[in-house]
Amino acid sequence: MNRRYLSFAALAITLLYGASFALFEDGAPKGYAAIGGVVVALAWIAVGVFGRDTDRA
């Protein structure tokens, strides 16, 4: 898969996860940070594992 698309998706997930903390008035629910961190990490790992550079020979 094209690395640019995967990178954009991972960046969007990261930004939306970070911005979602502003939605909670009394702090995030218990476990929210850990679960979200795993999702963000998996998104960036997918970039490295499945991403293919299109400009390589």
Side-chain angles (χ1 to χ4, degrees):
M1 192 167 197
N2 191 338
R3 187 179 304 265
R4 288 184 185 185
Y5 298 130
L6 284 174
S7 296
F8 178 76
L11 180 62
I13 289 169
T14 303
L15 291 172
L16 290 171
Y17 169 66
S20 69
F21 278 96
L23 299 175
F24 303 110
E25 293 180 9
D26 298 329
K30 193 172 187 175
Y32 185 79
I35 294 169
V38 169
V39 171
V40 168
L42 286 174
W44 285 108
I45 290 170
V47 171
V49 172
F50 300 115
R52 302 280 185 249
D53 290 331
T54 55
D55 54 343
R56 281 193 178 186

